[in-house]
Amino acid sequence: MPDEEEEGPLTQGDGLMAAKARRQLLMTAAPPPPQPLTNAWVCIAAYCTAVLVAWGSWEMYKQVLNGVSDWFIALLADVAATFAVFAFSAASDNSSMYDPFWMVAPPLLCLKLKYEGSGLVAPWHARQVLGVLLVFTWSLRFHVRSPWPGWRHGLAHEDFRYTDYRAKLPASPQYWAFSLLSFHFIPTLIVFFALAPLALVLLAPVDQPSLGMLDVAGFLIGACAITVEAVADEQLARFRRTAAASEPCVQGLWRYSRHPNYFGEVPTKIRAPRTRTTTHTFDTTHPRARQGLFWLSLLPFAVSARLLLAAPWIPLGPSAMLAMLRFASVPMMDERSLMRCG
């Protein structure tokens, strides 16, 4: 991953001491081994292989599981692609191989789902166009603004989340079993189910209900989330060009939130106390930092298409994404930042 970027300040004295103590214990007990460079061509091959595996497994499942819904087949193909990437993660001894999967999979799934629904060249419903436009803009912004280094330079190190668990699970088989479940499989499921509202809209016939206010609201919410992320990134980049490395960013959106790029977490984080005496850093280039309210913006499309009665579980996907951010990703970021700000 690229060097981590700086966030707004944070004040939690007791939390700082506890986080530093835990980190020191981990480093003393079993320091993670240095990671060898993974060639860029290996990274590219991993995702080319994943796309081929997903496509092949999709066609195979259509033949073997006759009568099963395209949505479920898409899930199986997505999982197959995840296992393909995991094979490269394990072979290169670097779980960060999976990092861009969050951004690569959703746009490709959207196109394939529309193809399986009414066809790519067939007429598109306006609702489908708006939803796919959001997903592609959201993904493209990441690839342009914070491109994954694996595409061009290869991987020289792992994200801190993975190295932390290497220290806790020093035995290689034990770590890779945990990596498969927690760093590859479960994130794939969460992203897939968060995309489910739009996935079902893309599979629905073109003669679905007309565009309504809920569709407009969903599109505006999604566009707002993407815009806030873009503005926050630009403000931080501009700040870092002139500020000292240890100076906290309290300009623009960073004045009000520790996690502007976790847009769905902004309402809770605005109320956090802050001073200029400590700094809070976190890796804004990591794909998982680009989530939040964006995924909730896809839900109104399914509601407006009247799919909720047939699939009442749809809201669970975006809700699971927000729960993961709130109770897993944000606490890990905070602990990391508390340790570093001392």
Side-chain angles (χ1 to χ4, degrees):
M1 297 299 296
D3 291 339
E4 295 175 355
E5 299 188 24
E6 188 175 344
E7 274 203 340
L10 176 69
T11 56
Q12 295 182 13
D14 293 339
L16 171 60
M17 296 178 62
K20 291 177 67 176
R22 285 193 295 272
R23 181 57 58 88
Q24 185 62 39
L25 178 60
L26 290 175
M27 294 178 66
T28 302
Q35 297 299 307
L37 176 68
T38 302
N39 188 277
W41 287 109
V42 175
C43 298
I44 294 172
Y47 281 86
C48 290
T49 301
V51 171
L52 292 175
V53 167
W55 190 279
S57 61
W58 195 312
E59 297 303 317
M60 181 193 70
Y61 288 133
K62 283 175 62 177
Q63 300 298 324
V64 175
L65 304 177
N66 189 27
V68 175
S69 68
D70 288 321
W71 181 87
F72 185 70
I73 291 177
L75 172 60
L76 295 179
D78 196 23
V79 170
T82 301
F83 276 84
V85 172
F86 172 76
F88 279 86
S89 293
S92 61
D93 197 27
N94 195 327
S95 293
S96 283
M97 184 71 73
Y98 177 81
D99 286 352
F101 196 91
W102 288 62
M103 295 295 161
V104 173
L108 296 181
L109 280 171
C110 285
L111 294 179
K112 180 61 173 172
L113 288 164
K114 179 61 171 67
Y115 173 80
E116 295 294 336
S118 55
L120 283 176
V121 296
W124 286 57
H125 193 284
R127 177 178 299 111
Q128 297 173 329
V129 173
L130 292 180
V132 170
L133 181 61
L134 280 179
V135 171
F136 269 79
T137 304
W138 171 78
S139 176
L140 183 62
R141 198 193 73 79
F142 169 78
H143 290 297
V144 172
R145 179 62 182 83
S146 304
W148 186 54
W151 303 130
R152 295 183 60 187
H153 309 295
L155 296 176
H157 68 282
E158 282 187 312
D159 184 87
F160 77 89
R161 302 164 190 81
Y162 310 141
T163 57
D164 280 357
Y165 278 96
R166 278 186 183 273
K168 297 176 183 177
L169 304 170
S172 183
Q174 187 179 3
Y175 167 75
W176 283 108
F178 183 85
S179 177
L180 172 61
L181 179 64
S182 300
F183 301 150
H184 293 74
F185 181 67
I186 291 178
T188 289
L189 292 183
I190 291 176
V191 172
F192 185 86
F193 278 92
L195 186 68
L198 180 59
L200 295 179
V201 168
L202 292 172
L203 288 171
V206 180
D207 60 349
Q208 55 191 268
S210 301
L211 202 69
M213 292 304 298
L214 280 175
D215 299 295
V216 176
F219 181 79
L220 292 178
I221 292 171
C224 181
I226 296 171
T227 301
V228 167
E229 293 174 358
V231 170
D233 278 345
E234 179 58 30
Q235 289 174 345
L236 184 57
R238 188 167 57 246
F239 172 80
R240 285 180 60 85
R241 284 195 289 266
T242 58
S246 60
E247 185 179 352
C249 179
V250 289
Q251 300 177 0
L253 296 174
W254 302 93
R255 179 183 181 88
Y256 303 103
S257 173
R258 294 203 307 274
H259 301 280
N261 285 354
Y262 273 97
F263 188 39
E265 296 299 322
V266 167
T268 61
K269 293 304 175 183
I270 285 179
R271 298 190 294 270
R274 46 185 69 254
T275 71
R276 302 179 69 93
T277 59
T278 58
T279 61
H280 188 186
T281 61
F282 108 93
D283 185 1
T284 56
T285 64
H286 195 283
R288 299 178 195 182
R290 314 295 179 168
Q291 319 298 321
L293 195 60
F294 171 80
W295 294 105
L296 285 178
S297 72
L298 303 181
L299 186 57
F301 294 117
V303 177
S304 184
R306 301 174 187 172
L307 298 173
L308 205 56
L309 291 178
W313 50 265
I314 288 178
L316 296 179
S319 299
M321 175 67 76
L322 293 181
M324 183 194 67
L325 293 174
R326 176 63 183 87
F327 299 108
S329 296
V330 165
M332 290 179 70
M333 293 291 188
D334 283 347
E335 180 174 336
R336 167 80 165 180
S337 299
L338 287 169
M339 188 279 298
R340 290 169 60 92
C341 74

